[in-house]
């Protein structure tokens, strides 16, 4: 199993450009999430999904869109990049355990710089 | 005030010392996670627990639901344990995790 994969690893965008961060998992996990990590802020949830076709907003959803058309893939779209979106982005997946997410598996991260 | 608070924020110790990292939370939870983030940036899950204690090698995690507190202990610490340790909780009835800000641990040889 490859686990959770993310592409690209690094990206530089100009303000106003759009792009999609890709995330895929091959563990048949129901839950998938996108986080951003900024210095001194910890991990913050952007969007999450509890299954194919179901997504919901997290703590910092503005400026980002997601969709979950398959169990495996959960892309994150930046609609019009802003310097405030400079961050490290992590995708994670979890198998359902009980009524909610179980152990988390993280992708390697994408370091995004917006100039 | 954050729902999840970790202490200390930074910890430096000598190889071999017993390490304790604390996590306190202010909401009802259904599970608590401990994660490790290496200097290279990768994040791995260490423990998920909802009661009592779990042990894996030199790592021990405990949780006291009544006191809303969890601890991560490392016995016989080693420089390779140097990392950021992150506590996260699943709030009761919610489908998502809330994270602490992390504790940066440095073990000197």
């Amino acid at each position: 199993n490859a686990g959770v994969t993310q592409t690209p690893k690094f990206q530089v965008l100009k303000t106003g450009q759009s792009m999609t961060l890709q995330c895929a998992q091959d563990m048949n996990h129901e839950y998938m999430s996108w986080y951003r990590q900024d210095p001194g802020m910890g991990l913050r949830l952007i969007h999450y999904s509890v299954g194919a076709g179901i997504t919901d907003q997290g703590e910092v959803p503005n400026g980002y869109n997601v969709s979950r058309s398959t169990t495996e893939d959960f892309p994150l779209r930046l609609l019009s990049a802003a310097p405030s979106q400079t961050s490290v982005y992590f995708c994670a997946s979890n198998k359902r355990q009980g009524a909610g997410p179980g152990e988390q598996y993280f992708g390697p991260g994408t370091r995004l710089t917006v100039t | 005030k954050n729902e999840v608070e970790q202490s200390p924020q930074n910890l430096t110790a000598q190889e071999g010392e017993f390490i304790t990292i604390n996590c306190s939370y202010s909401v009802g939870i259904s599970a608590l996670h401990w994660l490790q983030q290496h200097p290279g940036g990768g994040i791995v899950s260490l423990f998920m627990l909802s009661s009592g204690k779990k042990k894996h090698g030199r790592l021990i995690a405990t949780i006291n639901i009544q006191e809303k507190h969890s601890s991560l202990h490392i016995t016989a610490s080693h420089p390779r344990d140097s990392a950021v340790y992150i506590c996260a909780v699943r709030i009761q009835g919610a489908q998502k995790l809330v994270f602490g800000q992390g504790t940066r641990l440095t073990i000197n040889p």
Side-chain angles (χ1 to χ4, degrees), chain A residues 6-88:
Chain A
Q6 286 182 239
T7 56
K9 288 194 174 150
F10 301 94
Q11 182 71 50
V12 179
L13 290 178
K14 292 189 188 315
T15 297
Q17 287 184 317
S18 63
M19 79 159 294
T20 299
L21 306 186
Q22 301 291 346
C23 175
Q25 53 93 7
D26 61 358
M27 297 173 282
N28 203 33
H29 285 172
E30 295 92 342
Y31 291 87
M32 295 186 76
S33 309
W34 276 103
Y35 299 93
R36 58 178 290 173
Q37 187 177 41
D38 303 293
M41 300 286 289
L43 286 159
R44 291 185 293 167
L45 181 65
I46 305 170
H47 285 284
Y48 66 102
S49 168
V50 300
I54 307 168
T55 63
D56 206 347
Q57 295 182 349
E59 186 184 348
V60 288
N62 292 342
Y64 307 95
N65 272 358
V66 291
S67 60
R68 183 105 181 264
S69 55
T70 67
T71 300
E72 294 77 20
D73 299 296
F74 191 43
L76 178 72
R77 296 182 190 84
L78 279 69
L79 308 172
S80 177
S84 60
Q85 293 179 304
T86 293
S87 188
V88 181

Side-chain angles (χ1 to χ4, degrees), chain A residues 31 35 37 40-43 45 48 50 57-58 90 94 96-97 99-104 106, chain B residues 31 33 35 37 40-46 48 86 90 94-102:
Chain A
Y31 291 87
Y35 299 93
Q37 187 177 41
M41 300 286 289
L43 286 159
L45 181 65
Y48 66 102
V50 300
Q57 295 182 349
F90 288 97
N94 319 53
R96 178 183 292 275
Q97 183 162 340
E103 181 182 355
Q104 286 223 305
F106 283 83
Chain B
H33 298 246
L35 310 169
Q37 184 169 26
I43 302 173
V44 296
S45 177
L46 298 175
M48 188 180 92
I86 302 168
R90 171 153 56 100
Q95 300 293 327
K96 53 193 179 182
L97 298 181
V98 177
F99 290 79
Q101 292 193 349

Side-chain angles (χ1 to χ4, degrees), chain B residues 8-19 21 37 39 74 77-85 103-109:
Chain B
Q9 289 190 343
N10 294 283
L11 178 57
T12 300
Q14 291 299 120
E15 183 174 356
E17 287 188 34
F18 181 81
I19 303 299
I21 298 169
Q37 184 169 26
I74 305 175
S77 59
H78 189 276
R80 65 174 174 265
D81 298 324
S82 297
V84 175
Y85 292 84
T103 295
R104 185 174 299 276
L105 174 66
T106 303
I107 304 295
N108 293 319

Side-chain angles (χ1 to χ4, degrees), chain B residues 23-26 63-70:
Chain B
C23 176
S24 296
Y25 50 92
S26 56
I63 188 168
N64 185 318
I65 295 292
Q66 285 73 31
E67 294 186 4
K68 292 186 164 59
H69 181 267
S70 174

